[in-house]
Structures are given as C-alpha cells and as structure tokens.
Amino acid sequence: MANIEPLPRAYESADVEKKWFPEWEKANCFHGDPASGKPGYSIVIPPPNVTGILTLGHVLNNTLQDILCRRARMKGFEVCWFPGTDHAGIATEARVVKYLKETENVSRDELGREEFIKRVWQWKEEFGGKIIRQLRTLGCSCDWERERFTMDEGLSAAVRKVFIRLYEKGYIYRGQRMINWCPAAKSALSDEEVIYKDVAGKFYYFRYPLADGSGYLTVATTRPETMFGDTAVAVHPEDPRFKNLIGKMVKLPLTDREIPIVGDQHADPTKGTGCVKITPGHDPNDFEVGRRCNLEVINIMNPDGSLNDLCPAEFAGMDRFAARDLCVKRMEEAGLLEKIEDITHAVGFSERGNVPIETLVSAQWFCKMGELAKPAIEAVKSGKIKFYPERWSKTYFHWMENIQDWCISRQLWWGHRIPAWYNEKGEVYVGEEPPAGDNWRQEEDVLDTWFSSWLWPFSIMGWPNGGKEEMAKFYPTNDLVTGPDIIFFWVARMIMAGCEFTGEIPFRNVYFTSIIRDDLGRKLSKSLGNSPDPLDVIKEYGADALRFSIAYIAPIGMDIKYSNEKCEIGRNFANKLWNACRFRQMQGDCSADCRKLPEGALSADENWMLAKLDAATETIENELENFRFHAAAHALYDLVWSDFCDWFVEAEKVPMRAGGEAKERALAVLDYALFRILKLLHPFMPFITEELAHRMGFVEEGKFLMYEEFPTTGSGRSNAGAAVAVDGKFELVRAGRFLRSSYNLPDGKKLKFHIKAANGEMLEFLSNELPSLKSLLNAEDIEISAEAFDPSRGAAVSQTVVCGVISLPLADLIDVDAEIARLKKQLADLDKWIAGTRARLANEKFVSSAPAQVVADTRSKLAELEQKAEETGKLLAVLGN
C-alpha cells in the first residue's frame, strides 16, 4: 500500500462527490466506443420528460441502471448507457402555454403554429433537460456525449420513415372511430393514457315520452348532458315488455327531435329499466349499436368539453358539468325526472390533464397492432426476453393478446407532425416531403409522444440513416430498467418496433422497479407533501447514501416504504467504511500488493475473513445476475459492517499489536479484503469507493476504481470448514459480552471468564485462540478447560453456545444483595407492564379499531417485555433467588 493520502476524521460527501464526477468525465470514462475490442454492453435510459425534475422514482430507476453499467464496465465490457429526454407533447405544450400566458400574456393561437413551436424550442433550450443535469449529481455514468432528444432531426427522420412504412403496409389508416378525448389538452388519447378512478356519482332516471302519447320509456344515465346526442332508445328484441314498441318513436326531451326505438341485444332486460338511451357519438357500446342499427352519430362536444351548437341554444357553449346540472333541473321542471340514485362508479381520467375524459367519435389516425404484436408475444414466450419479476409477463400477454388499434394522432402543435397531405379532391398523400403542386395542405395533427419513444432503443443509435457501428456493437441492448406503469405505453411497443423494424428484440432483460410509498403506504405526491426533493436528500445525506439506501430497501416485486430517515442506513454505512479505512491507515504502511494475498499460512481469523469475503462475492454476483439488487445490498452491508468491521478488524488488533511478520500478514490481508470490498461496493456507492481506493493507495493516480476487475469468484485460499470454528469463537464472545451487559459491568472493566470447551478439538482450538479471546472479551484472564465451572468457587452466570459454555464468576464484581434487589424491582415492573399490555390486546375494541400498525407494534412490545422478564428471572436464579 503506497502513496497513502491521510483521510480526514470526518467523511464529507459533498466534497468527494464534487471532486470525482468531473474527473471521470475528463478521462472520458463513460464513453462507449463501438470500435473497441471488448464485448458490448448497453442500456437505454427511459427518457424522462424534458419538463421533468428529479424524483425518488428517477433516483431508484437510474441508480439500478448505474449499478448494472458500472458492474459491466468492471467486468470488462465496453459499456454504453444512452441518455436522453422525451419531448412529452401534451405536458410540454401545456407548460409552455402557461409560461407564455404568465410572462407575455399571449396565447398559443395568437402566436400561430410556427411562432409557437419556435417558442417551445426556446423554452426547451432555457429550461428543459434540467433532470439530465440532476442525474449527474446522482453519479449516473451515462455516455453524455450521446444525449438525444426525441425531436432531434435524426430521431424525427426515424419517426417519419416508420410512419410511411406502416402506412404503405396498410397498418396505419385514418378513420372515424370512438376515441378518448382530453378536454384539458384538447386532444385525443390512447386507451393507455386513461386512468380509471372510483368516484361518487349519480344515476338519473329520465322519462322519454312515446311520440304517439301512449306512455313513456324510462332510461337511466350517469351523463344527462349527452342526451342531446341520443339517436335512439334500445330495448332487447325479445323483451316482452317492449318488443311491440320496436320501430315506434319517442320524443327526445328538451329538443324538438324524435328518435326511434330499436331492438338490440345490448339492452339487458335484467338490468335497470331494460331501456337504454343510445348516444353513438359519445359511448363505445352505443357506437356499435349505432353501426348495427344504422343510426346517426352526433357529436355534441366542443374540444374544451363545452356543449356545441347542436345542443339547444340554452346549453350551447356551457361547460359539460354545468350543462349536466341544468339538464337535470329542466327535466325535473318538465316532470320527466323519475328519480336519482347515488352510486360509486369508475370514471376515466386523462393521465396528463387529470380531468374526466369524454368518449366521442372523431376522425383520427390509427395503427393496427395485431400483426405487430405476434412476434413480440413470441419473444417473451420463448424466453428471448425475460421479465423480472416474471409475474409481469402475465400482464403483458393479457394486453398483447387482446390488443386494440392504437390511436396515434394528437391535436397538438408540439410534436412530430404527421407526414400526410390532403388536396381539395379529398386525396391523401403520405411521404417524406410534400407532393408537387400548390393545392396540398399538411395534416395539422402530431403523433402520440409514444410513437417516437417506441423507436428509442435503435433510433437513439442513429437508425435508419446511420449508426451502423453503434448498432453492431450495442444493439440489441442488454437490460431495460423501467416502471411497470408503462409496460403497455412503452415496453410492449418497443418490443413490437424492434421486431418489426430491426428484425431483432430491443433488449434481453426487463427489470420492473418497485413503487415508492411513504411509511404509511401512500404513493409519493407533491399534494400529500410526502415527496421529498432528492437534491435536498443528497445535500443532507450524500448521493452514495441515497443510492445505497434506496437499493437496500427495494425488494424485487414489492413496494418500497421510504422516508428520508432511511437514508441514515447509507450515511452510517459510508461513515463505517470511512472509519475502517482511517483505522487501517493508522497502522502504518504495508509492502504487500493489495491485489494478492500473502504467501504462507494464514491465521484462523484471516481464513475466516477470506471465507466470508468469498461467500459474499459469490452471493453478490448471483444476486446481481438475477436483478436482486436489495439482496446484493444486504450482503454487502453484512459483509462490511458485521464481518469486516465488527469482527475481523477487532480480531486483527492482536497480530497488529504483536508486530513483526504477524502484523505484516494481518495488514496484507486487511488491504486485500478492503480493496475487494471497495470493488464490490463501487457500483452502489461510486464516489466514496473511488475516493478511498485512491486515498488508500490501492489505485494509482490517473487510473480509476471503475476499471478494476469486479470480483465474481472466491480467492481460492479460504477454507470454509475451518472458518466454522471461528464462527463458534465469535458466538462465544457474543455470549460473554451479553453476560457483561446483563450485570451492567462497564465495557472497559477487565473481567475473568471460564470456558468449558464442547470437545477436545474445540479445547485445542480455543486454547490457541486465547490472545484473541482475551482481546475481544476485554478479559484479564480466561480459564479454558474440559470441565465446567466449579460452583463452590462462588456464584457465576453462564451461557451455552455450540462450542462450549462460557461462565462469568461474579465474586468481587457485584454486591449480590443489591443486585438481587435491583433485579426483583425490574421483574416487578416488567410484570406490571406485561399485564397492562395483555389487557390492552384483550380489549376487542382496541384490536378492531386501532390502526393495524399500532396493534402490531403493541404485540411486538409484549413479546419484547416477556422475553426481558424471562431473562431477568434467569439472572435471579443464578443469584439463588
């Protein structure tokens, strides 16, 4: 260990993190070279919205991606992590519209399309992409030179080419279809962009008078305002109550129209009144009835969700919900409101606009997905693409096997404008460039944002007009880390696009991250005030601490319960590692190579440490291979905190105090273990490990830990069987320490112990380990024997473990009478608390009405009190009471 740079007493994460990221970038550490002779490894970042800022969801997702990339780099791969951002059509347009209103008091329409788009680009350059800069703070080792944006010219060319190809194959078409409409964005939405929420609503029962005056039919609706688009009332053709009315007419209330009574199986005689108002322009089921019965389709909605001029003059221009109230009022005044029922029902909300959507018939562009889905289904079924957790494959198959045509047009200005043109004859031309002639006008609509995102794994590499070297090296990509909420929006569509346009799958493994919730189980959101700013967390705890903590608490396939306090796991862990390295520095230099173990025999403790290190190395490799990040983090934590710091470092103080060859060997093994730990930990905590590797002299100046070989196999020098005896020794030490604490004896007080070995082999081993035992137990003397402690020598307290019985003689240590009095009082107090806690849990009202966590905590507390009482009773028994 040469060129040691002394470590400060305290670890200052901000200074270390500020230092290393520029160093890595200056040395071009993150660049993926397609001409390299190394095997390629690649990941594409799920492109965050250009409007976005860093959230804990991004922290989790990108930390896991960085772990994979840094590990692959250390395993000798040529790594390229492709970064970029999404133009996020609806979100960005809404953000810029608001910004222009606030700063210039000007609207989108006042500016006009060309000028508005120019302003969006200006806004993007000034404010967009903030999240990409924030990811650097987290330590993400993306190939930042390759950063892309979904509206870049190269990616836009890919979008146009794909649209034209699918149009020419007959997959893309324009037609009148029932679609989802967001009144906030004034745009169509795909089915996947609609979120259903259970909300309180009402069933309104209206009477529609028969035109001949002979009576009325009662229909029920949750959306009274849509009655102005009604073009029929349906009854079941075999319903004896109404079959004779089929073909007759009813008066549509509040209008001067009459509409027919039609027979259709959509009307269920067993549900409601058996009569259904049919609004083909605003309900998917009614639309199908309309097609079967050749009914007129009437759209009564303006783009903003207000009612249009096809409604009675009193309602035209009115907000849909105000119109609902007025409609009910007018029906009641007309004596046509039969009753109102309160209900709870699922209502579709726009994912972006967070307002109830409208279903309406509109001319839109669609993409047929059935044929595209087939190879994508097979790719997952055959195992070419694997999902982690595997259960998400069921969700994937269910959607893919029932896939619907994709509505790909959006009524926005910001986005990829559809490459289609129309002339006065009604002809349509689709191509890269406008057709010759003056009478062609381009389609006003843009494509769904996901239409560019589904091409991301290969368009980001330069497809179709370049990127051959990149694709040869880095495509298909290896792994994808993303949220399960976009399995349909993005993952499934990328698989379809990859198979269709490149002939290959886009990635081999998909890891679906967990949902992050607060300690109460609620999803994190700004409105609840439970969504901390990760940059504030990094400022308080450090990026490494946040990275390690979030991996540590994120079990595969389960939600994460997060609070800032949990970042203390990572911060304390970093401090523990820092202090271990400081301790090692204080022991002086060592001439050995930290990459090799010293020749010759090792001590029992040194063999034990190697066995633990070897086992942990294989565990961590296996866990990361299977995307069990949290299990790997736990293995690292236990290795460093418990095995290395708490036991090995303490045990090695004996040979280090002895000096000479024993000290040199101890330091060499310490350095070997420390360096291996830093390499294993680097993907999780890159900053502190890079700093320590250099400060300890393990890595030369100008070189980087991130290019050291990642340990995947054992040292080849450890003997796991022999290490079991050391496990027994440490268990014995824990028992002795427990005896000390049971009688409140100070840690610094030298004590005497007696150990009865379990057998002759253990007697020999423990006798050889006497200096280590005395050091670890802080003992003045330890008597190791094949015989039990003689009770005639006085009172003693004992603990039995696998390798023997350890006894602590109490003579001259405690005032027995005073100790008996103390323990009796303690036991009486415990009995009182136990009785009170049992009574509380026996109270049925408490158990049924208290929060589940409170009840669980109370039960845990009772178990703890009962265990403490049992231990106190045993201590009293030792003292003869």
Side-chain angles (χ1 to χ4, degrees), residues 121 127 170 228 247 338 340 370 377 380 409 412 421 704 719 777 802 808 822 846 862:
W121 277 106
F127 301 108
F228 302 123
E338 191 168 287
I340 301 174
I377 291 170
V380 178
S409 50
L412 304 170
W421 286 262
F704 297 96
N719 182 331
L777 285 166
V802 172
L808 174 63
R822 183 186 75 81
F846 166 73
L862 176 60

Side-chain angles (χ1 to χ4, degrees), residues 445-466:
D445 291 354
V446 300
L447 288 161
D448 179 7
T449 295
W450 297 102
F451 198 88
S452 53
S453 301
W454 76 325
L455 313 178
W456 186 248
F458 46 92
S459 66
I460 201 173
M461 295 186 195
W463 184 94
N465 300 322

Side-chain angles (χ1 to χ4, degrees), residues 374-388:
K374 288 176 182 176
I377 291 170
E378 182 56 28
V380 178
K381 274 189 176 173
S382 67
K384 286 175 73 176
I385 297 176
K386 290 184 169 63
F387 287 175
Y388 298 84

Side-chain angles (χ1 to χ4, degrees), residues 180-310:
N180 306 300
W181 185 265
C182 173
K186 300 178 188 175
S187 176
L189 302 173
S190 68
D191 291 343
E192 292 71 42
E193 291 169 295
V194 179
I195 306 299
Y196 285 89
K197 303 179 185 179
D198 287 334
V199 299
K202 295 181 187 298
F203 248 139
Y204 302 91
Y205 289 79
F206 290 160
R207 293 175 176 174
Y208 282 21
L210 293 167
D212 61 9
S214 62
Y216 60 83
L217 296 180
T218 300
V219 298
T221 181
T222 58
R223 300 158 68 208
E225 68 280 5
T226 63
M227 68 183 293
F228 302 123
D230 288 359
T231 54
V233 171
V235 298
H236 194 279
E238 302 302 323
D239 189 335
R241 295 172 296 173
F242 307 116
K243 61 187 299 185
N244 65 311
L245 297 178
I246 294 172
K248 292 190 175 185
M249 307 293 282
V250 295
K251 291 181 178 179
L252 182 61
L254 310 185
T255 74
D256 56 5
R257 289 196 292 123
E258 291 185 358
I259 56 177
I261 300 169
V262 298
D264 192 275
Q265 292 188 344
H266 173 57
D268 186 342
T270 65
K271 290 183 179 178
T273 65
C275 304
V276 182
K277 63 188 281 299
I278 302 300
T279 320
H282 293 281
D283 183 274
N285 293 319
D286 293 3
F287 180 72
E288 294 303 320
V289 174
R291 288 174 64 177
R292 290 192 292 270
C293 299
N294 197 28
L295 300 174
E296 183 183 2
V297 176
I298 302 173
N299 179 0
I300 62 157
M301 291 282 176
N302 289 316
D304 64 356
S306 62
L307 272 58
N308 64 26
D309 291 339
L310 295 177

Side-chain angles (χ1 to χ4, degrees), residues 795 816 820 875-881:
V816 174
I820 288 172
L875 294 174
L876 276 167
V878 168
L879 298 176
N881 273 264

